[in-house]
Amino acid sequence: MNRTRTAAVALGAAALLAAGGAAPAAAGDGQGEVHLLLNGGFGNRPGELIDIDVQGRLPHGPVTVSSPVFPRPVRLSPYERRTPDPGRGHHGRPAIAMTVEPGTYPLTVEAGGRVVARDRVEVGRPQRPRFTAGSPGEVLRPGERLWMAYDDLYPGESGTSFSVRSPAFRAPVRLAHDPRGADWHNPRLFSGAARLPATVRDGTYTVALTGPGGRVIEEKRLVVRAARPGDRDYLGRARGPAFFGTSAGAGPDAARTDGHEVTAGGQVNVLWRDQAPDPGEEERLTATSPAFERPVTLRRDDSKAGDGAAPRYYGPARVRRGLEAGRYPVTVVSHHGRVSRTAHLVITEAARGSAAAGSAPLLLAAGTGVAAAAGLGVVAFRRRAGRG
């Protein structure tokens, strides 16, 4: 399902006539060639969409697609608004009729009253409406995200508003269809997600799908259990906090848990490592200290330099100006309060008359947790290819 098939045909009149109207072979030089691309051309259910692209130099006139799977011929739209090269292609996303029986059906493309391409469409059987909430037998941790979907692509189904309720959720979750998402071909696939509260208690919860008027359509059972001793993710083997400088040559590999010095008004990076953080914890890890101007948010280092057995998280902290010299505690609390670690940072008095270190603003690279711009005293790493 949702795979692309391509057919290439030539527009030569002689070839069309010799083939008796069937799709001829492509011209050797590619001149006048027409490409028909069907995305979702086979393995479809009644009601699913087929993405149709017809590319190439076409005869003047409307471009239409005909097949027994469509209630009527479908007129494709030209590319004018989709590419900088208008007139080179046409596109449409028609739906297979809900009444079509399983089988293989012909599909014909006409341009200016002439057949320019042929293909086939395979249709399978309809499926009864299906509600999913996680995977069968899955046990979720507090703070974890639960994905839910309702697929009611079936004759007679017509609701447009669905929601999911559960005592384990903070609020009802609306399921919506995204026509630009990966499931564009199914116009009646509604999906959504809920993050379980970090404070949700262990237990089995009802997850109810409701339709118009609050009518309960289907219920599932959701098992929630925090990690226990012996579980792979229990307490996560956390290490830290540790500290490293903000100069261009500093980095997490040189971080120290004790004895790191920074001047009052200066900057320092706080590092934390955890083999298996609790679900959702990556979005709420912070380091606090009476020496800091404010709590420090620790972000995942998803650069290539961060590869390793224990994921690392860090963020830049600004030390308060005018702070007395001494050792100050820095604390990170994780795993729902079950892990609390404290290390000490050595604050030295700033040189009299010198500009306070770190007067430039601190920046974070969006979504990476890696400080941006080493020129501002924050370490930067090249992001690993393929990571968003």
Side-chain angles (χ1 to χ4, degrees):
M1 184 189 303
N2 200 20
R3 288 174 288 179
T4 302
R5 180 169 59 219
T6 304
V9 297
L11 286 176
L16 283 171
L17 293 174
D29 59 4
Q31 296 297 318
E33 190 174 278
V34 173
H35 293 274
L36 168 61
L37 294 89
L38 297 183
N39 193 354
F42 49 102
N44 305 278
R45 293 152 56 190
E48 284 192 352
L49 307 183
I50 299 179
D51 188 278
I52 302 175
D53 261 311
V54 180
Q55 302 173 355
R57 297 193 179 279
L58 303 171
H60 292 291
V63 178
T64 59
V65 176
S66 300
S67 174
V69 303
F70 305 136
R72 63 189 64 85
V74 178
R75 183 165 178 171
L76 303 183
S77 300
Y79 272 5
E80 279 88 351
R81 297 182 180 180
R82 302 177 65 233
T83 74
D85 187 13
R88 294 287 294 181
H90 290 68
H91 175 261
R93 278 187 176 177
I96 298 173
M98 294 296 294
T99 55
V100 174
E101 296 291 330
T104 300
Y105 298 86
L107 180 145
T108 303
V109 180
E110 294 186 7
R114 294 167 51 188
V115 174
V116 295
R118 297 181 188 275
D119 209 324
R120 68 185 190 281
V121 176
E122 299 172 6
V123 181
R125 296 185 179 279
Q127 298 176 10
R128 298 289 304 178
R130 182 176 178 227
F131 171 49
T132 56
S135 303
E138 182 180 20
V139 176
L140 271 71
R141 301 291 194 227
E144 196 165 3
R145 187 181 296 273
L146 173 68
W147 293 96
M148 297 162 289
Y150 181 50
D151 179 354
D152 72 344
L153 187 67
Y154 193 78
E157 300 294 332
S158 59
T160 58
S161 176
F162 302 94
S163 63
V164 180
R165 303 172 184 269
S166 174
F169 300 167
R170 286 191 176 94
V173 177
R174 179 175 176 266
L175 303 187
H177 175 67
D178 182 5
R180 295 173 296 181
D183 299 301
W184 57 265
H185 58 285
N186 183 347
R188 296 204 57 80
L189 181 63
F190 305 88
S191 60
R195 185 176 294 284
L196 302 181
T199 55
V200 66
R201 295 180 179 275
D202 291 3
T204 300
Y205 296 86
T206 299
V207 179
L209 172 71
T210 60
R215 176 179 61 90
V216 175
I217 299 173
E218 190 174 346
E219 291 184 348
K220 298 285 186 181
R221 292 283 184 260
L222 174 66
V223 178
V224 179
R225 183 175 65 80
R228 300 172 182 173
D231 291 340
R232 180 196 60 81
D233 55 342
Y234 182 68
L235 301 187
R237 299 179 186 175
R239 289 185 291 154
F243 314 101
F244 62 98
T246 59
S247 63
D253 292 335
R256 301 172 59 185
T257 57
D258 245 335
H260 184 85
E261 295 184 357
V262 60
T263 59
Q267 301 169 7
V268 66
N269 284 300
V270 182
L271 175 70
W272 179 259
R273 297 178 186 269
D274 198 335
Q275 180 68 35
D278 276 1
E281 196 161 62
E282 296 188 10
E283 300 176 8
R284 59 178 184 267
L285 275 174
T286 59
T288 59
S289 173
F292 296 162
E293 290 184 351
R294 61 185 62 85
V296 178
T297 300
L298 307 181
R299 302 291 189 190
R300 172 76 176 263
D301 177 10
D302 61 358
S303 69
K304 188 172 181 60
D307 287 344
R312 62 193 188 192
Y313 309 81
Y314 67 89
R318 190 186 300 283
V319 178
R320 292 162 47 199
R321 301 182 186 216
L323 201 64
E324 293 184 4
R327 295 175 73 249
Y328 290 81
V330 178
T331 301
V332 176
V333 178
S334 65
H335 293 273
H336 302 94
R338 291 173 291 163
V339 174
S340 178
R341 300 279 171 80
T342 298
H344 289 82
L345 186 64
V346 177
I347 307 299
T348 61
E349 187 176 357
R352 180 172 298 179
S354 64
S359 56
L362 293 176
L363 301 177
L364 287 180
T368 68
V370 180
L376 296 180
V378 183
V379 177
F381 294 101
R382 179 174 298 175
R383 293 172 58 83
R384 174 165 57 244
R387 288 258 181 139

